[in-house]
Amino acid sequence: MSAGRDTSADPPARPGERYADARDRQRLAAVMAQLRHRGHATLRDRIHQVRMSLVLASQAGLAAALSWVAAHELLNNPQPVFAPISAVGTLAASVGQRLRRTIELIIGVALGVLIGDILIYIFGTGPWQLGTVVLLAIVVAVFLGGSVAVVIQSAATAVLIVTLSPSVKDLEIPRFIESFVGGGVALLVTALLLPLNPLRVINRAARPALDLLADQLTEAAEALATRDPARCQRALDRLRRNQPELDAFTEAIEGAKETATLSPARWHRREALTHYAEAAEPVDRAMRNSGTLIRRAVTLIEDEEPIPEAMPEAVRSLAESVRILRHEFAVGKDPDDARERLMQAVCQAGRAYREGVGFSGSVVIAQVRTAASDLIKASGLDQDEANRLVREAFGDPPRPSGQPESNPDDQGAG
């Protein structure tokens, strides 16, 4: 006999309660599936980040070791500390800013050494002297218009000067020279010994931005096809959070330009890098115009406007063109296939327009055209040629009175 509670006398569950229990189980299963997927996605993301950082970690390790050897052998410093710090600090700067960061490090060191040395000579060392040195180093750096890096380096150098001077003699000049050695070794490593592959850097950085755009356009297309405003709104919300992807793309372009400038082994990549640099701005515009497209799609569904079958097909083709463009960029192929799919998207948008759409639907169609024009420009054609191709593919239908092809007051994912 079971020791648990006797449930034989309980009233039978009503059909509604059984249905509610089933729905609860379904919701719980859906939530758990999302959590499991998020866990896997997070692990993949972390592994991807580790792989992305391996080259930087190798550069930093090599630069630290070589700068220690250089300071030890060239400056006869038995325990060089500042050269490795300067080298790692240069490499820790954002990619694309390392040359500037080296100059800033040296300027910051000079300020810190100057202020620290003067105050130590006048007042000696101690806690209040340390606080005064740091305060003055920051104030002087800000007064002279220094960047954040200069301000931080000035304060850090002042701290090291004050705290180490009692035990290390003649610290000021070696510290200043070691900053040159460390920064120079870091640039040597990035330019000659372990230069990044600039195209690989950009391809990896461009992929999240282009995947985000393609995925959310696909979601919007499916939401239009099924008249699901909530799904469309989720796509819009995700696309609005695109700044990290765009920032990474832009930063990678700057870093690739720096590598191609400093590294002779990468000079032959300059032409391809110029193409990538020119693609960043139209990709950004395509993001913003796609945000307008999706936002209007939400309104279209909620207002129960007509949705011709060709409309979600056009948005789906636009999404697929982004994926093709990303692939052709990655393999260094001329993006003819992406342009062809973009023309298909515009043709489908024209067919949907002629079948009849409401006000929000006309804006969705206009944004398909505008985003397609942006992406054609990103593929390497000039803006006039892109606009001409879009007009021809669309069929030049008469636009509604007063309705521009792209409403400047309704731009962007925000």
Side-chain angles (χ1 to χ4, degrees):
M1 181 176 178
S2 174
R5 185 175 66 88
D6 184 5
T7 60
S8 60
D10 288 349
R14 292 190 294 271
E17 292 177 346
R18 288 196 299 269
Y19 179 63
D21 290 343
R23 285 188 301 174
D24 289 342
R25 286 195 296 271
Q26 290 174 354
R27 281 198 299 270
L28 180 60
V31 170
M32 294 305 297
Q34 291 178 16
L35 288 174
R36 285 192 293 270
H37 174 73
R38 178 176 298 180
H40 293 315
T42 300
L43 179 60
R44 286 198 303 270
D45 292 342
R46 291 182 184 278
I47 292 174
H48 177 69
Q49 290 172 356
V50 169
R51 292 176 58 189
M52 291 279 287
S53 67
L54 282 178
V55 175
L56 175 60
S58 300
Q59 288 179 332
L62 180 60
L66 290 180
S67 61
W68 190 96
V69 171
H72 184 273
E73 298 297 329
L74 298 179
L75 304 180
N76 295 319
N77 187 344
Q79 293 182 325
V81 174
F82 303 125
I85 291 175
S86 180
V88 174
T90 298
L91 286 166
S94 297
V95 176
Q97 300 178 1
R98 287 173 177 170
L99 182 59
R100 187 184 76 185
R101 177 58 181 258
T102 300
I103 296 171
E104 289 178 341
L105 281 170
I106 294 169
I107 294 173
V109 166
L111 283 173
V113 167
L114 177 63
I115 294 170
D117 193 26
I118 290 173
L119 291 183
I120 289 172
Y121 179 78
I122 297 174
F123 300 111
T125 60
W128 73 266
Q129 291 94 332
L130 173 60
T132 304
V133 167
V134 171
L135 185 151
L136 289 177
I138 292 175
V139 169
V140 171
V142 171
F143 177 78
L144 295 177
S147 67
V148 174
V150 171
V151 173
I152 293 173
Q153 188 63 27
S154 299
T157 301
V159 170
L160 289 171
I161 293 294
V162 174
T163 55
L164 295 181
S165 285
S167 58
V168 181
K169 301 300 182 183
D170 301 323
L171 176 69
E172 296 81 5
I173 299 303
R175 169 71 171 119
F176 185 67
I177 296 176
E178 281 190 37
S179 68
F180 280 96
V181 172
V185 168
L187 293 179
L188 177 67
V189 168
T190 58
L192 297 177
L193 302 181
L194 281 179
L196 297 171
N197 184 329
L199 289 182
R200 184 176 300 170
V201 169
I202 294 181
N203 284 330
R204 287 177 175 174
R207 181 171 183 170
L210 295 176
D211 279 350
L212 173 65
L213 178 57
D215 291 345
Q216 303 322 308
L217 284 171
T218 298
E219 285 294 297
E222 298 305 320
L224 283 168
T226 59
R227 289 187 172 271
D228 186 344
R231 184 175 186 178
C232 206
Q233 183 64 50
R234 287 194 297 271
L236 176 60
D237 293 341
R238 178 62 187 93
L239 190 60
R240 280 173 168 164
R241 300 191 299 271
N242 63 10
Q243 204 56 50
E245 289 82 4
L246 289 176
D247 287 346
F249 188 22
T250 303
E251 183 178 293
I253 290 174
E254 293 304 314
K257 284 181 178 178
E258 182 185 66
T259 299
T261 300
L262 296 177
S263 175
R266 305 302 186 190
W267 285 349
H268 66 288
R269 300 290 191 183
R270 288 177 178 177
E271 184 176 352
L273 291 175
T274 299
H275 175 67
Y276 257 118
E278 292 173 350
E281 183 180 351
V283 166
D284 184 18
R285 290 202 306 270
M287 282 269 200
R288 289 185 276 116
N289 287 315
S290 296
T292 302
L293 183 159
I294 299 174
R295 178 151 54 88
R296 281 296 183 174
V298 173
T299 305
L300 180 157
I301 297 170
E302 292 177 341
D303 292 348
E304 299 183 352
E305 289 187 14
I307 304 178
E309 183 178 348
M311 182 186 290
E313 291 177 359
V315 178
R316 197 175 290 115
S317 293
L318 189 64
E320 187 59 26
S321 71
V322 176
R323 294 189 178 94
I324 296 172
L325 183 65
R326 186 206 71 197
H327 171 71
E328 290 177 326
F329 272 171
V331 299
K333 178 183 175 184
D334 196 48
D336 290 329
D337 293 342
R339 292 170 188 154
E340 181 179 353
R341 184 54 67 93
L342 286 165
M343 293 299 95
Q344 182 180 346
V346 174
C347 286
Q348 292 165 333
R351 189 165 72 249
Y353 186 86
R354 288 185 288 274
E355 290 178 12
V357 294
F359 175 76
S360 292
S362 68
V363 177
V364 170
I365 297 301
Q367 295 305 320
V368 170
R369 291 185 56 157
T370 307
S373 178
D374 294 332
L375 292 170
I376 292 171
K377 187 174 188 305
S379 75
L381 301 184
D382 61 52
Q383 191 65 66
D384 290 339
E385 179 69 6
N387 291 341
R388 183 187 65 80
L389 290 171
V390 168
R391 285 195 296 269
E392 290 181 3
F394 194 81
D396 279 330
R399 293 195 292 271
S401 176
Q403 174 66 33
E405 183 171 317
S406 180
N407 184 355
D409 295 327
D410 197 21
Q411 295 289 321

